[in-house]
Amino acid sequence: MARAAQGKELRVVTTHLPPLVVENDDQNPGALRELLNELCKRVQMSLKLEFVPWKRALFLATSMPETAIFPVTRLLDRETKFRWLAPLYEEHYMFLAARNGKFDIQHPEAMKARRITLLRGAAQATILQELGYRNIIEASSIEEVHRYLLKGMADAAFGEQHIIQNSLTSRSAQKDFHLSAPVRTTTAWLAGSLDFDDATVQLFQHTKAAMDADGTTRRILGKYKLA
């Protein structure tokens, strides 16, 4: 399997999601970018990485041949849309709201009529709908999610714990917002279009398992305080 992959180029689409995936920073490219770099090194494939808005990334990975995407939340309604190449990271989803706002962060189950903003195309929309939230406002980027909160266009945001905390820290806005306890935990994957063959899937999964076993995964996640 390794010989079959050797020398091939892996096309991967993603979006800017610090601290998991960071655009234009080769020194600190994000925890999951570093995991992907190591995966590609071990399977001897060169990496061609493209940053696009998340909804477009999902479109490309389900419509273009031999195209992978990360980090994709593995949910039931996505199961048959991708080949699942490697589990990368345990995600913890929670609410973020202004301290003086209308969203009761201690009782989010009572806030289902409030306006919730999240990244367009993200799995969080499915999770929220399963939980009974219907007033969902999609944003094109993490920056736009934050802007919707600041301008009062949304009462709360819903997203991954470390992405939200990074957004607050980068704006020195921790004192202005508060977070709920995690309401759902899922796994983020490197996934591929349906034309990835079984040998490639097995190669990536076995290689990632080896990275977990030898401590590489924990070391990389720990560098970003995610382990």
Side-chain angles (χ1 to χ4, degrees):
M1 288 189 296
R3 286 195 298 272
Q6 187 173 7
K8 287 187 176 181
E9 181 180 78
L10 180 68
R11 182 194 183 194
V12 182
V13 291
T14 188
T15 200
H16 182 63
L17 296 168
L20 305 184
V21 186
V22 181
E23 189 175 9
N24 298 324
D25 189 342
D26 292 334
Q27 296 300 314
N28 294 287
L32 303 192
R33 270 189 74 183
E34 291 203 27
L35 285 177
L36 179 60
N37 289 341
E38 180 64 20
L39 264 174
C40 287
K41 178 182 176 181
R42 293 192 184 197
V43 301
Q44 300 180 53
M45 296 178 74
S46 61
L47 174 62
K48 181 182 179 181
L49 191 61
E50 181 180 355
F51 282 85
V52 295
W54 184 246
K55 192 168 185 179
R56 177 162 177 77
L58 289 168
F59 170 76
L60 291 173
T62 52
S63 62
M64 298 295 292
E66 297 184 339
T67 301
I69 180 174
F70 81 113
V72 181
T73 300
R74 191 168 182 172
L75 297 175
L76 184 61
D77 65 348
R78 288 179 168 175
E79 194 64 32
T80 60
K81 295 179 180 179
F82 298 99
R83 300 303 307 272
W84 299 94
L85 301 177
L88 299 176
Y89 171 68
E90 292 299 303
E91 308 167 300
H92 303 284
Y93 287 112
M94 54 182 54
F95 290 99
L96 166 74
R99 291 188 180 276
N100 59 351
K102 300 176 181 178
F103 192 94
D104 184 351
I105 209 76
Q106 300 299 323
H107 302 93
E109 70 282 354
M111 299 286 104
K112 294 181 180 178
R114 294 296 181 186
R115 300 164 299 170
I116 313 296
T117 185
L118 47 75
L119 190 64
R120 183 175 295 116
Q124 293 99 295
T126 299
I127 294 171
L128 281 181
Q129 289 166 359
E130 290 175 355
L131 294 172
Y133 297 85
R134 294 290 181 267
N135 199 351
I136 297 172
I137 302 171
E138 294 187 318
S140 61
S141 65
I142 298 300
E143 290 72 20
E144 192 168 71
V145 166
H146 200 85
R147 188 161 64 249
Y148 285 175
L149 286 175
L150 290 175
K151 292 187 176 181
M153 299 169 64
D155 300 308
F158 186 65
E160 202 284 320
Q161 173 183 353
H162 289 104
I163 295 175
I164 287 177
Q165 289 176 336
N166 181 272
S167 179
L168 292 177
T169 301
S170 68
R171 295 170 172 81
S172 299
Q174 300 96 317
K175 67 181 183 302
D176 300 322
F177 294 88
H178 50 178
L179 298 168
S180 74
V183 298
R184 181 71 63 90
T185 298
T186 60
T187 302
W189 283 68
L190 171 68
S193 50
L194 294 176
D195 55 347
F196 279 83
D197 60 27
D198 290 342
T200 302
V201 173
Q202 291 175 31
L203 174 62
F204 271 94
Q205 292 193 3
H206 291 164
T207 303
K208 178 54 168 52
M211 289 171 56
D212 296 344
D214 67 21
T216 300
T217 299
R218 176 170 290 276
R219 175 181 59 78
I220 292 174
L221 293 178
K223 173 183 174 181
Y224 292 86
K225 297 181 172 57
L226 303 181

